[in-house]
Structure formats: structure tokens, C-alpha cells
């Protein structure tokens, strides 16, 4: 009598995949939208930034390992994991993101918030470009139009945010070389890193949870190395790691950690371009939540951006690129 074959779980169909994409995108939009409010309300000014960031990365690792154990992939990863594979899939994007964050910090200090926010939105275009170059993922004419609608919405939201803050002062050379160029390079790097993460998950079949673990470990090691000479490192040595922490501090930290896992899932299932839609949509959510909980009405720019965001998402989903016979 022949041995019974083990049943393998059937791969999810397109409807299940679309449901997952919408669920992860919705959760990430809500997390991005809520995060500024809960961070502002629940995190004390005395909390050392490095301690909260490092704790968030550790929480990401723990949560990702729990999810991997729950779906049964942890044993497989344990057997098949290699350092070379980890560095190839996650090491390069992690290093790129670290460089991008450094450039953004330099740029933010030398540009007014409006200019910074508008230039920072160009990462959506670079993500679409690198997705095409690396994954050959083409966009339809309608989708390209939807991307420009999204950028218009982001620019309007940037105007609304920038009108509340002052402008920076400095020479034109300083603004160009220490402000505009760094943020544009950071946008290019953001698009490249996002496309590499999508390539690792979709082509190399690298689990999004595993990438979260690997990138969080790399980021934590870089952060720990920086504490040897940074002001935050000195503050931790003087006051202690959890200086200024309360029980409520854990809420935004854990929310941010879950958001990091959702970013990996959205990039894995939907791609880096759709992550851009999530980020811009979250800005609208933040404005609406500020009105509900703090009584701050959304600006005119936000109200104008809302239909643009809704239209761009609808058009992008409704008119995907159709593969022609000769392309297939």
C-alpha cells in the first residue's frame, strides 16, 4: 500500500491576496496616521530617543519571531538561513536606509519644513523607477497619472504642514548642498531600498518577517555603535537606558514596531509603490484624527488633497498594466 502523500497547503488565490493587501494597507495607514498623535501624547520629553528606537527594533524582532513560529516558518528558516543570503537580501537595504536617514537629518536642519516635505515626496517616483529597472514591473498610463495625482496631494499636504512652521535661514549654497541635494539623494536611496526589499521578497522568496528580523538587527548594531560618541549614548550612560519612561511609553513603541512589520508585509505583497499611497493617505488620517481628538480643523490644503488621494488610489487599482502577448 503506497504511503499517503502529505497535503501541502494551497497557495492563496488572487482574491485572498487582494484581501491581504487591502487589510495590511489599511492597518498600516491607520498605524501611520495614529503614530504621531500617540507619540506626542504618551512619550515624555525626557525619554532618550536612541533608547526608544532601539527598543522598537528589539520589539520588531520579537514580534516577527512570534509570527514566524505561529505560521510554522521558523523551523525552515533555522535550517536554511545563511549569512550570505541574509546580507544579500537584507544587509544592503538596511545599509541604504541607514544612509538615507542620515541624509534626511542633515537636510531637515537646512531646509524649511515645506520644501523638505515636498522634495521628500519624490521618493514615490524613484520607487516606481527602480521597481521597473530591478523587477521590470511596468506601470500603465493611468497608473502613471495616478502617481502624479498622489504627488500633487502630497505637495498640498506639505503646504498645509509648512504653513504652520517657520522657514530656515542660510546661504543659497548651504541650502543647495546641505539641504536640497541630500533630500533628493535620500529619495533616490529610499526608492532603491524599497525596490530591493520587494525583489528579495518576491524574487528570492525571502520572508518579510525574516527581512524584518535581519534589518532590525543590522539597524540595532549600527545604533549601538553610534552610542559610543553620540549625545544620546552619553545620556544613557549618565541617566540609564529607561530614563523618562513610563508604562504609557510602551504604547507608541509597540505600535511603531508593529508598523515596521506591516511595512514589510505591504512591500512583500503589494510592492513599494503602493506603500507610497499608504504613507500619503496616512497624512490625511492624521489630520482627521487631530480634528477629532484635539479640535484642530484640517487645513484647506488637506481638504483639497483628500479627493486627490482617493482618486489616485482608485485609478491605480482599477487600471493595472496589461501584459501584452509579445511581452509575455
Amino acid at each position: 500500500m503506497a504511503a499517503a502523500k502529505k497535503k501541502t497547503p494551497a497557495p492563496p488565490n488572487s482574491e485572498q491576496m487582494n484581501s491581504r493587501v487591502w487589510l495590511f494597507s489599511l492597518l498600516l495607514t491607520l498605524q501611520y496616521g495614529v503614530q504621531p498623535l500617540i507619540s506626542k501624547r504618551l512619550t515624555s520629553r525626557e525619554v532618550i530617543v536612541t533608547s526608544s528606537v532601539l527598543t522598537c527594533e528589539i520589539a520588531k524582532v520579537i514580534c516577527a519571531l512570534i509570527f514566524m513560529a505561529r505560521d510554522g516558518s521558523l523551523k525552515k528558516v533555522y535550517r536554511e538561513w545563511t549569512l550570505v543570503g541574509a546580507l544579500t537580501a537584507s544587509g544592503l537595504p538596511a545599509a541604504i536606509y541607514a544612509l538615507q536617514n542620515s541624509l534626511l537629518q542633515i537636510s531637515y536642519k537646512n531646509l524649511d519644513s515645506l520644501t523638505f516635505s515636498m522634495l521628500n515626496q519624490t521618493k514615490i517616483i524613484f520607487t516606481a523607477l527602480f521597481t521597473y529597472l530591478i523587477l521590470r514591473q511596468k506601470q500603465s498610463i493611468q497608473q502613471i497619472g495616478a502617481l502624479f495625482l498622489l504627488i500633487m496631494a502630497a505637495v498640498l499636504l506639505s503646504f498645509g504642514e509648512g504653513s504652520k512652521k517657520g522657514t530656515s535661514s542660510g546661504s543659497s549654497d548651504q541650502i543647495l548642498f546641505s539641504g536640497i541635494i541630500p533630500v533628493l539623494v535620500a529619495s533616490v536611496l529610499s526608492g532603491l531600498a524599497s525596490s530591493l526589499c520587494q525583489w528579495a521578497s518576491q524574487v528570492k522568496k525571502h520572508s518579510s518577517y525574516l527581512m524584518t528580523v535581519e534589518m532590525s538587527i543590522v539597524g540595532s548594531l549600527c545604533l549601538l555603535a553610534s552610542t559610543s560618541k553620540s549625545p544620546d549614548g552619553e545620556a544613557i550612560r549618565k541617566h540609564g537606558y529607561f530614563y523618562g519612561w513610563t508604562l504609557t511609553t510602551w504604547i507608541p513603541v509597540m505600535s511603531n514596531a508593529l508598523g515596521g512589520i506591516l511595512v514589510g508585509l505591504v512591500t512583500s505583497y503589494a510592492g513599494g509603490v503602493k506603500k507610497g499611497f499608504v504613507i500619503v493617505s496616512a497624512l490625511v488620517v492624521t489630520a482627521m484624527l487631530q480634528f477629532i481628538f484635539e479640535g484642530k480643523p484640517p487645513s484647506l490644503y488637506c481638504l483639497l488633497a483628500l479627493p486627490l488621494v482617493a482618486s489616485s488610489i482608485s485609478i491605480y487599482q482599477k487600471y493595472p498594466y496589461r501584459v501584452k502577448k509579445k511581452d509575455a
Side-chain angles (χ1 to χ4, degrees), residues 76-103:
K76 181 182 177 182
V77 167
Y78 179 76
R79 291 194 304 266
E80 300 178 358
W81 185 87
T82 61
L83 179 61
V84 174
L87 292 175
T88 302
S90 305
L92 183 57
I96 291 173
Y97 276 129
L99 178 58
Q100 174 212 352
N101 289 332
S102 299
L103 289 170

Side-chain angles (χ1 to χ4, degrees), residues 110-284:
N110 293 283
L111 286 178
D112 61 272
S113 58
L114 174 60
T115 305
F116 174 84
S117 298
M118 287 193 296
L119 292 175
N120 196 30
Q121 304 310 325
T122 58
K123 60 188 176 186
I124 301 171
I125 296 177
F126 290 117
T127 301
L129 174 63
F130 281 112
T131 301
Y132 170 71
L133 293 175
I134 295 173
L135 293 166
R136 295 299 173 187
Q137 183 176 318
K138 298 180 181 179
Q139 312 286 331
S140 66
I141 297 297
Q142 293 91 337
Q143 286 181 322
I144 293 173
L147 288 176
F148 279 101
L149 280 178
L150 187 70
I151 292 171
M152 287 173 60
V155 169
L156 285 172
L157 290 166
S158 300
F159 268 108
E161 182 65 20
S163 61
K164 303 173 188 175
K165 301 178 182 179
T167 58
S168 64
S169 58
S171 65
S172 57
D173 287 344
Q174 181 185 359
I175 292 173
L176 175 63
F177 292 106
S178 299
I180 294 175
I181 291 178
V183 72
L184 287 177
V185 174
S187 294
V188 174
L189 292 175
S190 176
L192 175 59
S194 183
S195 301
L196 287 173
C197 288
Q198 187 176 342
W199 169 81
S201 62
Q202 295 180 356
V203 177
K204 302 297 287 184
K205 304 302 180 184
H206 215 63
S207 163
S208 63
Y209 294 134
L210 180 57
M211 287 191 67
T212 298
V213 171
E214 292 169 348
M215 292 181 68
S216 293
I217 290 174
V218 172
S220 298
L221 291 175
C222 294
L223 201 59
L224 284 171
S226 70
T227 57
S228 60
K229 294 185 178 180
S230 68
D232 275 9
E234 185 178 343
I236 290 173
R237 288 188 291 272
K238 182 178 179 181
H239 301 291
Y241 184 85
F242 288 108
Y243 177 72
W245 281 60
T246 62
L247 286 176
T248 59
T249 308
W250 288 94
I251 297 175
V253 169
M254 295 304 298
S255 169
N256 208 3
L258 291 173
I261 292 175
L262 286 171
V263 166
L265 290 169
V266 170
T267 304
S268 176
Y269 284 103
V273 175
K274 289 186 180 179
K275 188 181 74 175
F277 284 88
V278 170
I279 294 171
V280 177
S281 301
L283 297 176
V284 178

